[in-house]
Amino acid sequence: MSERTVPDYLTLNDDYSVTVKLSRPYDENGVKKESITLREPTAREQRQFSPASDKVSPAQLGTLEEKMLASLADGVTPEFLGNLAMRDYGRVQTAFSFFTD
């Protein structure tokens, strides 16, 4: 099996967290954010935010994902994540994928 390539906008940290460099700075309550660090979720957290897909709408799944990612991130809200440009939200999703492979 080949090792996964880490995009240049991600840093895999020694404490098993992942730092995402955003494509541009964003304002979070008066604080300029140029990166977001996600810690690895526990199995319980993953289950908490992953209900059966036949019981929730796609919009609700998106909201749950934003809540889960915000709970793992360093000082950002679900609203902040929902307001990221798609490019940067995709970067956060890619960072999360490093916890599941």
Side-chain angles (χ1 to χ4, degrees), residues 10 12 22 26 33-34 42 56 63 68-69 72 74 76 84 89-92 95 98:
L10 293 182
L12 305 181
L22 302 171
Y26 291 88
K33 288 285 225 184
E34 295 182 5
T42 64
V56 294
T63 300
M68 179 186 62
L69 293 172
L72 305 175
D74 57 346
V76 298
L84 291 176
Y89 192 79
R91 289 180 177 194
V92 174
F98 276 82

PDB file of all heavy atoms in Angstrom, residues 10 12 22 26 33-34 42 56 63 68-69 72 74 76 84 89-92 95 98:
ATOM      1  N   LEU A  10      -2.005  21.277   4.150  1.00  0.00           N
ATOM      2  CA  LEU A  10      -2.213  20.552   5.405  1.00  0.00           C
ATOM      3  C   LEU A  10      -0.889  20.276   6.094  1.00  0.00           C
ATOM      4  O   LEU A  10       0.109  19.996   5.431  1.00  0.00           O
ATOM      5  CB  LEU A  10      -2.900  19.208   5.162  1.00  0.00           C
ATOM      6  CG  LEU A  10      -4.329  19.224   4.655  1.00  0.00           C
ATOM      7  CD1 LEU A  10      -4.857  17.791   4.522  1.00  0.00           C
ATOM      8  CD2 LEU A  10      -5.225  20.038   5.561  1.00  0.00           C
ATOM      9  N   LEU A  12       0.355  17.677   9.150  1.00  0.00           N
ATOM     10  CA  LEU A  12       0.037  16.619  10.103  1.00  0.00           C
ATOM     11  C   LEU A  12       0.949  16.825  11.302  1.00  0.00           C
ATOM     12  O   LEU A  12       2.171  16.770  11.181  1.00  0.00           O
ATOM     13  CB  LEU A  12       0.259  15.242   9.473  1.00  0.00           C
ATOM     14  CG  LEU A  12      -0.490  14.972   8.165  1.00  0.00           C
ATOM     15  CD1 LEU A  12      -0.200  13.561   7.670  1.00  0.00           C
ATOM     16  CD2 LEU A  12      -1.982  15.200   8.322  1.00  0.00           C
ATOM     17  N   LEU A  22      -5.779  28.055   5.297  1.00  0.00           N
ATOM     18  CA  LEU A  22      -6.875  28.559   4.477  1.00  0.00           C
ATOM     19  C   LEU A  22      -6.332  29.355   3.297  1.00  0.00           C
ATOM     20  O   LEU A  22      -5.230  29.907   3.362  1.00  0.00           O
ATOM     21  CB  LEU A  22      -7.808  29.417   5.332  1.00  0.00           C
ATOM     22  CG  LEU A  22      -8.412  28.685   6.543  1.00  0.00           C
ATOM     23  CD1 LEU A  22      -9.150  29.665   7.441  1.00  0.00           C
ATOM     24  CD2 LEU A  22      -9.317  27.555   6.090  1.00  0.00           C
ATOM     25  N   TYR A  26      -9.866  34.835   7.202  1.00  0.00           N
ATOM     26  CA  TYR A  26     -11.276  35.029   7.542  1.00  0.00           C
ATOM     27  C   TYR A  26     -11.350  35.653   8.920  1.00  0.00           C
ATOM     28  O   TYR A  26     -10.464  35.454   9.742  1.00  0.00           O
ATOM     29  CB  TYR A  26     -12.027  33.685   7.574  1.00  0.00           C
ATOM     30  CG  TYR A  26     -12.190  33.037   6.235  1.00  0.00           C
ATOM     31  CD1 TYR A  26     -11.211  32.193   5.728  1.00  0.00           C
ATOM     32  CD2 TYR A  26     -13.335  33.249   5.476  1.00  0.00           C
ATOM     33  CE1 TYR A  26     -11.360  31.584   4.493  1.00  0.00           C
ATOM     34  CE2 TYR A  26     -13.499  32.633   4.242  1.00  0.00           C
ATOM     35  CZ  TYR A  26     -12.513  31.802   3.756  1.00  0.00           C
ATOM     36  OH  TYR A  26     -12.663  31.201   2.539  1.00  0.00           O
ATOM     37  N   LYS A  33      -8.402  34.598  11.123  1.00  0.00           N
ATOM     38  CA  LYS A  33      -8.028  33.186  11.059  1.00  0.00           C
ATOM     39  C   LYS A  33      -7.410  32.902   9.702  1.00  0.00           C
ATOM     40  O   LYS A  33      -8.047  33.107   8.671  1.00  0.00           O
ATOM     41  CB  LYS A  33      -9.265  32.287  11.216  1.00  0.00           C
ATOM     42  CG  LYS A  33      -9.844  32.255  12.586  1.00  0.00           C
ATOM     43  CD  LYS A  33      -8.987  31.433  13.446  1.00  0.00           C
ATOM     44  CE  LYS A  33      -9.710  30.470  14.307  1.00  0.00           C
ATOM     45  NZ  LYS A  33      -8.810  29.771  15.179  1.00  0.00           N
ATOM     46  N   GLU A  34      -6.175  32.420   9.714  1.00  0.00           N
ATOM     47  CA  GLU A  34      -5.509  32.016   8.477  1.00  0.00           C
ATOM     48  C   GLU A  34      -5.343  30.510   8.405  1.00  0.00           C
ATOM     49  O   GLU A  34      -4.987  29.976   7.359  1.00  0.00           O
ATOM     50  CB  GLU A  34      -4.153  32.716   8.364  1.00  0.00           C
ATOM     51  CG  GLU A  34      -4.311  34.228   8.235  1.00  0.00           C
ATOM     52  CD  GLU A  34      -2.984  34.954   8.081  1.00  0.00           C
ATOM     53  OE1 GLU A  34      -1.932  34.296   7.978  1.00  0.00           O
ATOM     54  OE2 GLU A  34      -3.022  36.193   8.066  1.00  0.00           O
ATOM     55  N   THR A  42     -13.054  11.297  18.753  1.00  0.00           N
ATOM     56  CA  THR A  42     -13.200   9.984  19.369  1.00  0.00           C
ATOM     57  C   THR A  42     -14.264   9.210  18.585  1.00  0.00           C
ATOM     58  O   THR A  42     -15.051   9.793  17.822  1.00  0.00           O
ATOM     59  CB  THR A  42     -13.650  10.105  20.833  1.00  0.00           C
ATOM     60  OG1 THR A  42     -14.962  10.698  20.855  1.00  0.00           O
ATOM     61  CG2 THR A  42     -12.672  10.932  21.654  1.00  0.00           C
ATOM     62  N   VAL A  56     -32.371  11.746   8.253  1.00  0.00           N
ATOM     63  CA  VAL A  56     -32.140  13.192   8.181  1.00  0.00           C
ATOM     64  C   VAL A  56     -31.998  13.618   6.724  1.00  0.00           C
ATOM     65  O   VAL A  56     -31.598  12.839   5.865  1.00  0.00           O
ATOM     66  CB  VAL A  56     -30.877  13.625   8.978  1.00  0.00           C
ATOM     67  CG1 VAL A  56     -31.056  13.395  10.451  1.00  0.00           C
ATOM     68  CG2 VAL A  56     -29.651  12.928   8.475  1.00  0.00           C
ATOM     69  N   THR A  63     -25.392  20.387   8.255  1.00  0.00           N
ATOM     70  CA  THR A  63     -25.340  21.108   9.528  1.00  0.00           C
ATOM     71  C   THR A  63     -24.643  20.269  10.591  1.00  0.00           C
ATOM     72  O   THR A  63     -23.833  20.782  11.368  1.00  0.00           O
ATOM     73  CB  THR A  63     -26.764  21.485   9.984  1.00  0.00           C
ATOM     74  OG1 THR A  63     -27.350  22.319   8.996  1.00  0.00           O
ATOM     75  CG2 THR A  63     -26.743  22.212  11.304  1.00  0.00           C
ATOM     76  N   MET A  68     -19.862  19.036  13.927  1.00  0.00           N
ATOM     77  CA  MET A  68     -18.807  18.102  14.311  1.00  0.00           C
ATOM     78  C   MET A  68     -17.431  18.720  14.062  1.00  0.00           C
ATOM     79  O   MET A  68     -16.562  18.693  14.934  1.00  0.00           O
ATOM     80  CB  MET A  68     -18.919  16.788  13.543  1.00  0.00           C
ATOM     81  CG  MET A  68     -17.805  15.816  13.908  1.00  0.00           C
ATOM     82  SD  MET A  68     -17.788  14.327  12.922  1.00  0.00           S
ATOM     83  CE  MET A  68     -17.519  14.977  11.294  1.00  0.00           C
ATOM     84  N   LEU A  69     -17.229  19.279  12.866  1.00  0.00           N
ATOM     85  CA  LEU A  69     -15.934  19.873  12.547  1.00  0.00           C
ATOM     86  C   LEU A  69     -15.606  21.024  13.488  1.00  0.00           C
ATOM     87  O   LEU A  69     -14.468  21.158  13.934  1.00  0.00           O
ATOM     88  CB  LEU A  69     -15.898  20.317  11.083  1.00  0.00           C
ATOM     89  CG  LEU A  69     -15.957  19.189  10.055  1.00  0.00           C
ATOM     90  CD1 LEU A  69     -16.124  19.757   8.651  1.00  0.00           C
ATOM     91  CD2 LEU A  69     -14.728  18.293  10.139  1.00  0.00           C
ATOM     92  N   LEU A  72     -14.264  19.950  16.771  1.00  0.00           N
ATOM     93  CA  LEU A  72     -12.883  19.462  16.700  1.00  0.00           C
ATOM     94  C   LEU A  72     -11.881  20.576  16.433  1.00  0.00           C
ATOM     95  O   LEU A  72     -10.670  20.370  16.560  1.00  0.00           O
ATOM     96  CB  LEU A  72     -12.752  18.417  15.585  1.00  0.00           C
ATOM     97  CG  LEU A  72     -13.695  17.219  15.652  1.00  0.00           C
ATOM     98  CD1 LEU A  72     -13.528  16.352  14.413  1.00  0.00           C
ATOM     99  CD2 LEU A  72     -13.460  16.428  16.919  1.00  0.00           C
ATOM    100  N   ASP A  74     -10.104  24.502  16.525  1.00  0.00           N
ATOM    101  CA  ASP A  74      -9.578  25.434  17.522  1.00  0.00           C
ATOM    102  C   ASP A  74     -10.287  26.786  17.472  1.00  0.00           C
ATOM    103  O   ASP A  74      -9.874  27.688  16.787  1.00  0.00           O
ATOM    104  CB  ASP A  74      -8.071  25.608  17.330  1.00  0.00           C
ATOM    105  CG  ASP A  74      -7.708  26.083  15.928  1.00  0.00           C
ATOM    106  OD1 ASP A  74      -8.560  26.033  15.017  1.00  0.00           O
ATOM    107  OD2 ASP A  74      -6.560  26.527  15.739  1.00  0.00           O
ATOM    108  N   VAL A  76     -13.505  27.824  16.440  1.00  0.00           N
ATOM    109  CA  VAL A  76     -14.401  28.288  15.385  1.00  0.00           C
ATOM    110  C   VAL A  76     -15.794  27.715  15.635  1.00  0.00           C
ATOM    111  O   VAL A  76     -15.954  26.703  16.304  1.00  0.00           O
ATOM    112  CB  VAL A  76     -13.919  27.922  13.961  1.00  0.00           C
ATOM    113  CG1 VAL A  76     -12.583  28.557  13.656  1.00  0.00           C
ATOM    114  CG2 VAL A  76     -13.867  26.427  13.751  1.00  0.00           C
ATOM    115  N   LEU A  84     -17.301  29.631   5.116  1.00  0.00           N
ATOM    116  CA  LEU A  84     -16.052  29.519   4.357  1.00  0.00           C
ATOM    117  C   LEU A  84     -16.348  29.347   2.871  1.00  0.00           C
ATOM    118  O   LEU A  84     -17.375  28.765   2.493  1.00  0.00           O
ATOM    119  CB  LEU A  84     -15.244  28.303   4.819  1.00  0.00           C
ATOM    120  CG  LEU A  84     -14.620  28.341   6.204  1.00  0.00           C
ATOM    121  CD1 LEU A  84     -13.941  27.003   6.502  1.00  0.00           C
ATOM    122  CD2 LEU A  84     -13.619  29.480   6.326  1.00  0.00           C
ATOM    123  N   TYR A  89     -13.658  25.122   2.747  1.00  0.00           N
ATOM    124  CA  TYR A  89     -14.437  24.083   3.420  1.00  0.00           C
ATOM    125  C   TYR A  89     -13.971  22.703   2.942  1.00  0.00           C
ATOM    126  O   TYR A  89     -13.847  21.774   3.733  1.00  0.00           O
ATOM    127  CB  TYR A  89     -15.940  24.273   3.173  1.00  0.00           C
ATOM    128  CG  TYR A  89     -16.767  23.399   4.077  1.00  0.00           C
ATOM    129  CD1 TYR A  89     -16.993  23.760   5.400  1.00  0.00           C
ATOM    130  CD2 TYR A  89     -17.306  22.197   3.625  1.00  0.00           C
ATOM    131  CE1 TYR A  89     -17.724  22.952   6.250  1.00  0.00           C
ATOM    132  CE2 TYR A  89     -18.049  21.385   4.462  1.00  0.00           C
ATOM    133  CZ  TYR A  89     -18.254  21.767   5.773  1.00  0.00           C
ATOM    134  OH  TYR A  89     -18.986  20.960   6.616  1.00  0.00           O
ATOM    135  N   GLY A  90     -13.680  22.594   1.670  1.00  0.00           N
ATOM    136  CA  GLY A  90     -13.147  21.340   1.137  1.00  0.00           C
ATOM    137  C   GLY A  90     -11.815  20.978   1.766  1.00  0.00           C
ATOM    138  O   GLY A  90     -11.532  19.802   2.013  1.00  0.00           O
ATOM    139  N   ARG A  91     -10.992  21.971   2.041  1.00  0.00           N
ATOM    140  CA  ARG A  91      -9.714  21.717   2.712  1.00  0.00           C
ATOM    141  C   ARG A  91      -9.939  21.150   4.114  1.00  0.00           C
ATOM    142  O   ARG A  91      -9.232  20.236   4.537  1.00  0.00           O
ATOM    143  CB  ARG A  91      -8.881  23.003   2.801  1.00  0.00           C
ATOM    144  CG  ARG A  91      -8.327  23.455   1.467  1.00  0.00           C
ATOM    145  CD  ARG A  91      -7.519  24.735   1.595  1.00  0.00           C
ATOM    146  NE  ARG A  91      -6.949  25.090   0.314  1.00  0.00           N
ATOM    147  CZ  ARG A  91      -5.992  25.983   0.133  1.00  0.00           C
ATOM    148  NH1 ARG A  91      -5.491  26.646   1.185  1.00  0.00           N
ATOM    149  NH2 ARG A  91      -5.527  26.239  -1.069  1.00  0.00           N
ATOM    150  N   VAL A  92     -10.925  21.688   4.820  1.00  0.00           N
ATOM    151  CA  VAL A  92     -11.246  21.184   6.161  1.00  0.00           C
ATOM    152  C   VAL A  92     -11.754  19.743   6.063  1.00  0.00           C
ATOM    153  O   VAL A  92     -11.362  18.882   6.854  1.00  0.00           O
ATOM    154  CB  VAL A  92     -12.267  22.106   6.864  1.00  0.00           C
ATOM    155  CG1 VAL A  92     -12.718  21.520   8.187  1.00  0.00           C
ATOM    156  CG2 VAL A  92     -11.665  23.505   7.080  1.00  0.00           C
ATOM    157  N   ALA A  95      -8.840  17.519   5.526  1.00  0.00           N
ATOM    158  CA  ALA A  95      -8.117  17.325   6.789  1.00  0.00           C
ATOM    159  C   ALA A  95      -8.798  16.262   7.632  1.00  0.00           C
ATOM    160  O   ALA A  95      -8.146  15.359   8.165  1.00  0.00           O
ATOM    161  CB  ALA A  95      -8.027  18.643   7.557  1.00  0.00           C
ATOM    162  N   PHE A  98      -8.122  12.547   6.931  1.00  0.00           N
ATOM    163  CA  PHE A  98      -6.883  11.933   7.413  1.00  0.00           C
ATOM    164  C   PHE A  98      -7.094  11.195   8.738  1.00  0.00           C
ATOM    165  O   PHE A  98      -6.266  10.392   9.139  1.00  0.00           O
ATOM    166  CB  PHE A  98      -5.763  12.974   7.543  1.00  0.00           C
ATOM    167  CG  PHE A  98      -5.055  13.199   6.242  1.00  0.00           C
ATOM    168  CD1 PHE A  98      -5.580  14.052   5.291  1.00  0.00           C
ATOM    169  CD2 PHE A  98      -3.866  12.540   5.950  1.00  0.00           C
ATOM    170  CE1 PHE A  98      -4.938  14.240   4.078  1.00  0.00           C
ATOM    171  CE2 PHE A  98      -3.218  12.727   4.750  1.00  0.00           C
ATOM    172  CZ  PHE A  98      -3.757  13.573   3.797  1.00  0.00           C
TER     173      PHE A  98
END
